[in-house]
Amino acid sequence: MAYSEKVIDHYENPRNVGSFDKDDKSIATGMVGAPACGDVMKLQLKINKDGVIEDAKFKTYGCGSAIASSSLVTEWVKGKTIEEAARITNTEITAELALPPVKIHCSILAEDAIKAAIADYKSKNNT
Amino acid sequence: MNYFEIFSLVPSFSIDLVLLGNTYRNLQKQYHPDKYVMSCASKRLVAMQKSTEINDAYQTLKNNCLRAQYLLLLSGMDIELEQRTLQDTDFLIQQMLWREKVEQFRVEDEDEITDFSTMIVQQIANLENEFEMKRQQNALEESAECVRKLKFMLKLQIELDQLEEKLFD
């Protein structure tokens, strides 16, 4: 299977790899996994008091498409409010990275990671 | 005829793999294309289809994870094409930690790698047992969750195998 140039770019130069302190109240952590391939993704968002995502980091154990999908969303969410970030869909990720049908679950993983992170932030801050 | 019926087995997770292998070889002999060389085209076709079916059934039933998935399928649950994600945070944090560990293993950690490998085998066995227990209780969704988790453990096992190959071969 051939990866698109964008996938290869994100895979070879992943943006924003790393971790924040998950116990910090301004940090939202989303953990998701794709049973289809056993990939695991952690997405963390640093959210300021206005509800704007100031920074994002990820750690993904998975294939090139899963790494590219998570790397891409860390770029996309920065500067967005949590409401805007929650509207990012797997379809947009799939289109941007030109993922083939068998790799759509990687983009779903990234979309769900954003949603899981936001849910974590809300439960932490009781909003 | 479902895959278990082909081998005259009762649908269950615990099956006799030796018996499965023997029945498979007998059936393959029975439907081998060589035996149908002189037969008419339609008989040859039927034998070929039967042979393919026996082969598919065998490949599915001899593998624990595929057999578990097939049992779910017989109960009307197809998890193979599922696109949903798993969100059990504790389970995923543990998966993350184990994968970090695999990433950090070096040649000198041979003993620790052996222990880790044993732990994975044990975890897989636990999930398989839990799967069969839940399935027998008709707790379909809970048994499916065991298979989903099993897939992460099998992936981890593959990663460890690849690492061992890289380090020690």
Side-chain angles (χ1 to χ4, degrees):
Chain A
M1 187 195 60
Y3 281 124
S4 71
E5 271 178 37
K6 279 179 182 161
V7 171
I8 292 168
D9 179 35
H10 278 281
Y11 181 69
E12 287 180 345
N13 311 292
R15 333 294 198 249
N16 312 305
V17 174
S19 292
F20 293 123
D21 174 13
K22 67 173 173 50
D23 298 323
D24 186 326
K25 277 213 156 195
S26 69
I27 301 301
T29 304
M31 295 277 306
V32 287
C37 53
D39 290 356
V40 190
M41 183 181 290
K42 179 176 78 176
L43 176 70
Q44 292 188 300
L45 312 173
K46 187 176 171 53
I47 300 168
N48 71 17
K49 56 184 186 324
D50 301 321
V52 174
I53 298 163
E54 286 184 335
D55 204 357
K57 286 199 187 295
F58 82 95
K59 189 151 196 187
T60 294
Y61 287 96
C63 67
S65 302
I67 290 167
S69 297
S70 34
S71 171
L72 176 71
V73 299
T74 58
E75 286 193 319
W76 275 1
V77 296
K78 276 191 211 180
K80 283 192 165 70
T81 64
I82 52 176
E83 289 77 16
E84 287 165 349
R87 286 199 292 269
I88 293 173
T89 65
N90 81 285
T91 323
E92 294 168 278
I93 300 164
T94 301
E96 173 69 17
L97 296 172
L99 297 178
V102 292
K103 290 293 176 184
I104 287 177
H105 65 264
C106 299
S107 64
I108 295 174
L109 202 56
E111 177 191 327
D112 285 359
I114 302 174
K115 294 199 162 74
I118 293 172
D120 173 60
Y121 181 76
K122 288 186 172 167
S123 77
K124 256 180 171 172
N125 294 276
N126 296 318
T127 50
Chain B
M1 220 190 234
N2 73 40
Y3 287 173
F4 289 96
E5 286 164 349
I6 291 175
F7 294 95
S8 311
L9 291 167
V10 177
S12 168
F13 183 73
S14 343
I15 57 168
D16 184 339
L17 290 170
V18 176
L19 182 70
L20 178 77
N22 291 339
T23 315
Y24 169 70
R25 280 180 289 276
N26 287 336
L27 287 171
Q28 279 302 27
K29 258 181 248 161
Q30 199 178 323
Y31 292 99
H32 198 280
D34 287 355
K35 290 188 73 173
Y36 293 84
V37 181
M38 305 302 278
S39 307
C40 66
S42 70
K43 274 193 179 157
R44 277 207 306 269
L45 185 66
V46 170
M48 196 188 72
Q49 284 168 340
K50 194 71 195 168
S51 175
T52 309
E53 193 189 10
I54 292 161
N55 204 25
D56 288 345
Y58 178 62
Q59 299 303 331
T60 302
L61 296 189
K62 74 169 183 178
N63 177 293
N64 288 0
C65 185
L66 293 178
R67 185 167 68 254
Q69 263 179 253
Y70 187 69
L71 283 162
L72 288 173
L73 191 66
L74 289 181
S75 307
M77 195 170 199
D78 189 354
I79 67 161
E80 185 56 31
L81 298 170
E82 253 176 14
Q83 297 278 21
R84 54 176 274 189
T85 56
L86 187 106
Q87 305 210 355
D88 181 332
T89 308
D90 293 340
F91 176 81
L92 291 167
I93 288 174
Q94 184 62 75
Q95 286 295 315
M96 207 68 152
L97 291 172
W98 281 337
R99 278 155 212 239
E100 279 167 11
K101 213 173 157 95
V102 169
E103 215 172 39
Q104 285 155 9
F105 278 139
R106 297 290 171 262
V107 177
E108 57 271 26
D109 302 324
E110 198 169 351
D111 292 344
E112 214 185 323
I113 294 174
T114 308
D115 291 346
F116 192 75
S117 171
T118 310
M119 183 278 295
I120 295 177
V121 171
Q122 188 56 52
Q123 292 279 340
I124 289 173
N126 291 348
L127 282 168
E128 287 173 352
N129 290 337
E130 199 187 335
F131 162 78
E132 183 58 358
M133 199 179 74
K134 297 290 181 196
R135 195 187 69 84
Q136 285 175 357
Q137 295 167 354
N138 282 320
L140 198 58
E141 178 49 39
E142 284 167 295
S143 64
E145 198 67 3
C146 293
V147 181
R148 293 185 196 110
K149 288 183 176 173
L150 187 58
K151 291 184 150 213
F152 288 91
M153 291 309 301
L154 293 171
K155 178 77 182 288
L156 185 65
Q157 194 171 44
I158 291 170
E159 279 169 16
L160 190 69
D161 286 349
Q162 286 170 344
L163 177 88
E164 282 182 286
E165 246 170 63
K166 209 174 77 186
L167 292 181
F168 305 114
D169 288 351

